[in-house]
Amino acid sequence: MTTNPFDADRPPERTRRRGNGGGGGGGGRNGGKRRDESIMVPDVSFDSYYGRHIVKPAPWEKEVAAYLFLGGIAAGSALLGAGGAARGYPALQRAGRIGAVAGAALGGAALAKDLGKPSRALNMMRTVKLTSPMSVGSWILTAFGSFAGAALVSEVARPVIERRSRGARSGGAVALVAKALKLADGPATVGSAFFAPPLAAYTAVLLADTATPTWHESYRELPFVFVSSANLAASGLALVTVPTRENGPARKLAAVSALAELVAFERMQDKLGPTLSEPLRTGKAGRLLKASRALTVGGALGAVALGGNRVTAALSGAALMAASVCTRFGVFEAGMVSAIDPKYTVEPQRERLEKRRAAGVVDDSITTAR
Amino acid sequence: MGFWRNQLSGPTDPAADAAWETSEPRKGFFTDTSICIGCKACEVACKEWNGVPEDGLDLLSQSYDNTGALGASTWRHVAFVEQTSDRIEQARESGRKLVSLGMPSVRSGDEPALAGGGGTATATLTDTLTDNPVPDVRWLMASDVCKHCTHAACLDVCPTGALFRTEFGTVVVQDDVCNGCGYCVAACPFGVIERRSGNEGHEKGPQSHGISIKGAGGAGDTAKGSHQNQPAHASSNGEVKNVGIAQKCTLCYDRLGAGQTPACAQACPTTSIKFGDLDEMRATARARVAQLHELGYPEARLYGVDEHDGVGGTGSTFLLLDEPEVYGLPPDPRVTTADLPDMFRKAGYAGLTMLAMAAAAFVGRRK
Ligand code: SF4
Ligand code: SF4
Ligand code: SF4
């Protein structure tokens, strides 16, 4: 630490947890007129420019986190609905189809609201761009929404029309429509089930394909966390809405996806390492993710053990949906924290650079001596 | 995968990749921070020429830099850092280490002659040169700008095609196409591009400042759980255009088209900002760093000149006098889309897993 006459005017500095080895924290420590840096830039053990972030956090608000949940529950519901249609669970089929459309519609609205220029939301459809997960995702959401919408139309309209056509003479226009709906039902179901996994998985790529440290570095495991969370939420919704005699598949799905999510999340934290997983373990994100784990375990156990009772099944289902909400908001929040604190940008980058240099790779650094 | 590899990382000619037929030489900057005087003429000239709105008149009370950071309404930002001798010695040390790594400027084995240095060998630099005495204090001033990356993450991830590659190899936003999705903001490894906030028309509301200062009131405060900056500053005047639209340096696309020098380079009184063909800029940069090494400033180093780095080399190159993070630059940036094929592959496996889980749920006896 330096001493100069002006030090006397400063409040005493708090001690830092970790030292810097060298002579100070660069811009962060030796700037001109400063207030108590130890309060403004806590715990600097790396160089930064006045503790300001290097990468910018995504300018996204909670609508985007909500979309992560809504898109997931829509995708999972479509799968449950399709399974219900294939295996003869009419109530599950109906709940799944409604969940798919509601989730996709609400999610799409949330996305549009978060745009800087919502009036230009349709510019997303200007082009197809494979290097942009958001472009790919917009098309996935559109395709999914169309198929799920068609399936729901058929679900709602068919009984009405069939009743009417039975009353009227057969062969009329009403009967034709009924026939068309019957024909469309299968492809619509298959289509929504086909686009469901991409819908649930692409949101992980959406977050990972950024410079946000914790999101990007978790790209190998995040898709598994997200698809599990999607299935979990959808099984939760089904447990709430479907009578017990048809909730067998939802209970099984809850158990499987809870297990998958817990495993994938643990793996993700391990792979991130102590620094980059810190935002997932601490602060608001840490609390959300801890709550998510408790709700996942509780909800899944409830679904398996007490799913035979209408009330306890619904309670377990609500817990599972809440778990998915917590997961999404937690991961979202952790990424924001990792972008805002320059530590998460500088430390891992320094580390990997030094590692490469130690291994003798010296021709791929952005800083060069000549 | 050949196509992907070429397009997403490694050395390449970005304008040709963007299917431009007219072959303009790639344009770029060399910002020599060793001669910057921190006058901020570049910041002002950029605002004037491009009609960039005011973005806060608050004093950050941290240094002579009250601009803070690059952002939607700050396309040039002059950083200011004061260092005392221990820090300077540390910068020299890291500079010497860099020199002794013998980091080549080209991948081929043969030693490139040091322009200006007449082929001084690495050993000479480290062993026999006498460094200048370390001063008690120094001021680092550096004018930062969009890097116009060879592999620009902002451009890659833009879903609307609002960001595009010009015939000069630069990256520009079309503000009439951008719908403000904000993806580019999160993708840029240098934290350059930003979505402009504020009220359309006459400015009333808070404006984008691009700065978050932890623990400090005002500029860094977050409102109701939001992570976006809500700068607290006096209500100011002026029209704000392009609210909600991502904005950044255009490398003065309009001026380039007319054969002119960008406003910032034109205004710079010390020639700290040099503009020209990128090849020339890189050569100038190499000559300058060699010269500084010879004069006994081992802390001098280049940033963005090597096209084998994580972004394929930058269009804006810099000469720095300390580690990049001291100036708020990332030490080892990597274009996020370099991993995109792998990301999609992982997502594909995850999607199949999801299907399998759902299918498993329907296996078994119908209850
Ligand atoms: S520095 Fe950022 S904004 Fe500029 S071209 Fe590169 S990725 Fe885009
Ligand atoms: S090139 Fe033009 S737009 Fe970019 S910083 Fe300089 S003056 Fe501003
Ligand atoms: S105009 Fe030139 S000298 Fe002045 S601050 Fe900008 S880069 Fe530095």
Side-chain angles (χ1 to χ4, degrees):
Chain A
M1 206 65 262
T2 56
T3 40
N4 68 42
F6 300 109
D7 278 354
D9 299 332
R10 298 182 179 181
E13 292 207 6
R14 290 191 308 185
T15 45
R16 287 152 201 277
R17 252 193 309 159
R18 276 178 295 176
N20 189 28
R29 299 270 294 267
N30 293 328
K33 188 179 141 224
R34 296 283 304 274
R35 284 178 246 155
D36 183 358
E37 308 99 308
S38 58
I39 291 171
M40 295 167 65
V41 190
D43 260 340
V44 184
S45 65
F46 58 97
D47 288 329
S48 77
Y49 188 65
Y50 302 102
R52 282 172 211 159
H53 51 75
I54 291 182
V55 298
K56 286 203 176 4
W60 297 337
E61 304 287 358
K62 47 194 174 317
E63 284 87 3
V64 171
Y67 167 72
L68 299 177
F69 166 73
L70 290 166
I73 202 167
S77 295
L79 288 182
L80 278 179
R87 303 273 294 172
Y89 295 84
L92 187 59
Q93 168 190 330
R94 171 173 291 237
R97 287 175 169 183
I98 295 174
V101 172
L106 288 175
L111 280 187
K113 180 166 180 287
D114 198 67
L115 292 176
K117 276 251 183 278
S119 58
R120 293 190 194 162
L122 283 180
N123 279 15
M124 289 291 183
M125 317 267 95
R126 262 185 96 241
T127 169
V128 180
K129 209 165 145 187
L130 292 182
T131 59
S132 170
M134 195 182 279
S135 171
V136 173
S138 300
W139 288 106
I140 292 174
L141 182 62
T142 307
F144 176 86
S146 311
F147 282 113
L152 185 61
V153 166
S154 141
E155 176 80 34
V156 176
R158 242 170 78 197
V160 181
I161 292 177
E162 267 166 14
R163 214 174 305 129
R164 278 241 232 130
S165 66
R166 229 175 287 132
R169 259 165 290 122
S170 56
V174 179
L176 258 179
V177 173
K179 204 168 191 184
L181 281 176
K182 198 170 181 182
L183 279 178
D185 191 275
T189 309
V190 172
S192 63
F194 180 81
F195 281 104
L199 180 65
Y202 99 85
T203 45
V205 183
L206 182 79
L207 297 192
D209 194 28
T210 60
T212 301
T214 295
W215 287 347
H216 179 83
E217 297 304 329
S218 63
Y219 81 83
R220 291 171 197 85
E221 296 83 20
L222 196 57
F224 293 93
V225 174
F226 274 17
V227 296
S228 309
S229 183
N231 272 343
L232 205 62
S235 64
L237 180 64
L239 284 168
V240 172
T241 53
V242 171
T244 46
R245 82 193 118 78
E246 285 195 25
N247 73 5
R251 289 166 69 186
K252 278 185 224 155
L253 188 61
V256 180
S257 44
L259 201 65
E261 185 182 334
L262 292 173
V263 170
F265 196 87
E266 271 318 300
R267 229 182 114 76
M268 181 169 91
Q269 278 198 335
D270 277 359
K271 282 282 174 68
L272 279 172
T275 308
L276 283 172
S277 70
E278 200 175 85
L280 294 170
R281 288 182 278 108
T282 55
K284 194 171 138 205
R287 286 195 296 278
L288 281 167
L289 291 165
K290 214 169 281 161
S292 154
R293 244 159 298 164
L295 287 163
T296 304
V297 173
L301 288 179
V304 172
L306 311 167
N309 176 299
R310 192 73 186 82
V311 175
T312 44
L315 282 176
S316 312
L320 292 177
M321 283 193 281
S324 179
V325 171
C326 289
T327 307
R328 307 311 181 112
F329 276 79
V331 170
F332 182 82
E333 178 73 22
M336 290 296 182
V337 169
S338 78
I340 288 169
D341 191 335
K343 166 173 137 184
Y344 301 112
T345 303
V346 174
E347 274 187 8
Q349 290 194 9
R350 269 268 150 236
E351 227 167 81
R352 71 188 184 208
L353 184 63
E354 298 306 339
K355 210 183 268 170
R356 288 206 308 274
R357 283 181 181 166
V361 185
V362 291
D363 62 349
D364 63 355
S365 161
I366 194 164
T367 319
T368 50
R370 57 200 152 97
Chain B
M1 290 326 274
F3 167 80
W4 283 104
R5 200 155 296 145
N6 253 331
Q7 298 296 306
L8 298 177
S9 57
T12 182
D13 174 4
D17 287 351
W20 281 97
E21 275 153 22
T22 51
S23 58
E24 291 280 344
R26 185 170 173 194
K27 293 280 192 278
F29 285 123
F30 168 47
T31 304
D32 180 355
T33 72
S34 68
I35 51 173
C36 176
I37 55 172
C39 68
K40 300 184 174 75
C42 48
E43 282 188 17
V44 176
C46 175
K47 287 226 176 204
E48 283 288 333
W49 179 262
N50 295 295
V52 178
E54 176 253 300
D55 57 348
L57 298 169
D58 36 333
L59 299 178
L60 302 181
S61 52
Q62 290 187 324
S63 75
Y64 290 123
D65 166 19
N66 289 306
T67 309
L70 290 175
S73 301
T74 305
W75 298 354
R76 269 269 175 200
H77 162 236
V78 182
F80 180 94
V81 178
E82 184 178 284
Q83 292 186 328
T84 40
S85 47
D86 50 345
R87 274 302 308 192
I88 305 171
E89 191 39 66
Q90 216 175 303
R92 289 221 164 149
E93 202 40 62
S94 67
R96 274 188 216 107
K97 232 175 87 194
L98 207 57
V99 173
S100 67
L101 275 175
M103 308 232 291
S105 53
V106 286
R107 206 163 255 217
S108 61
D110 47 16
E111 283 282 288
L114 285 175
T120 321
T122 308
T124 338
L125 278 179
T126 37
D127 298 346
T128 61
L129 273 186
T130 42
D131 293 342
N132 270 342
V134 174
D136 286 340
V137 65
R138 72 167 176 175
W139 285 352
L140 298 178
M141 284 154 281
S143 184
D144 195 8
V145 70
C146 168
K147 315 299 176 293
H148 294 280
C149 312
T150 304
H151 296 287
C154 61
L155 191 161
D156 283 347
V157 305
C158 174
T160 63
L163 277 152
F164 76 108
R165 180 78 61 178
T166 73
E167 63 273 40
F168 305 104
T170 58
V171 181
V172 175
V173 194
Q174 304 171 76
D175 50 23
D176 52 346
V177 175
C178 169
N179 67 6
C181 74
Y183 206 7
C184 52
V185 179
C188 171
F190 300 96
V192 171
I193 194 166
E194 191 188 30
R195 199 162 80 177
R196 192 172 282 162
S197 49
N199 291 344
E200 197 88 52
H202 200 269
E203 176 195 345
K204 281 275 169 25
Q207 272 212 29
S208 142
H209 207 307
I211 312 166
S212 111
I213 299 165
K214 292 196 302 170
D221 267 3
T222 50
K224 19 174 191 61
S226 160
H227 288 291
Q228 310 314 318
N229 297 311
Q230 309 285 343
H233 61 81
S235 62
S236 36
N237 46 19
E239 292 278 311
V240 183
K241 58 176 185 183
N242 289 336
V243 169
I245 302 291
Q247 300 276 283
K248 70 170 194 71
C249 161
T250 66
L251 219 143
C252 285
Y253 190 36
D254 49 350
R255 294 175 68 98
L256 256 57
Q260 295 281 313
T261 303
C264 53
Q266 182 98 30
C268 177
T270 62
T271 69
S272 169
I273 302 177
K274 298 172 179 60
F275 164 81
D277 294 353
L278 187 57
D279 293 341
E280 233 169 81
M281 290 298 110
R282 286 178 176 163
T284 315
R286 292 193 169 114
R288 176 65 179 160
V289 77
Q291 186 187 30
L292 282 175
H293 286 163
E294 279 195 2
L295 290 172
Y297 296 98
E299 65 267 41
R301 67 203 75 187
L302 300 178
Y303 188 78
V305 176
D306 188 351
E307 53 179 19
H308 294 281
D309 67 28
V311 296
T314 58
S316 309
T317 58
F318 300 83
L319 183 143
L320 306 177
L321 298 174
D322 202 337
E323 295 287 13
E325 53 266 39
V326 170
Y327 298 88
L329 295 166
D332 188 36
R334 202 173 127 74
V335 57
T336 180
T337 38
D339 296 322
L340 192 57
D342 202 23
M343 286 183 214
F344 274 132
R345 204 161 24 232
K346 294 289 184 308
Y349 295 145
L352 290 175
T353 311
M354 183 185 187
L355 261 187
M357 282 193 270
F362 285 94
V363 169
R365 204 161 32 83
R366 168 89 167 77
K367 217 170 65 168

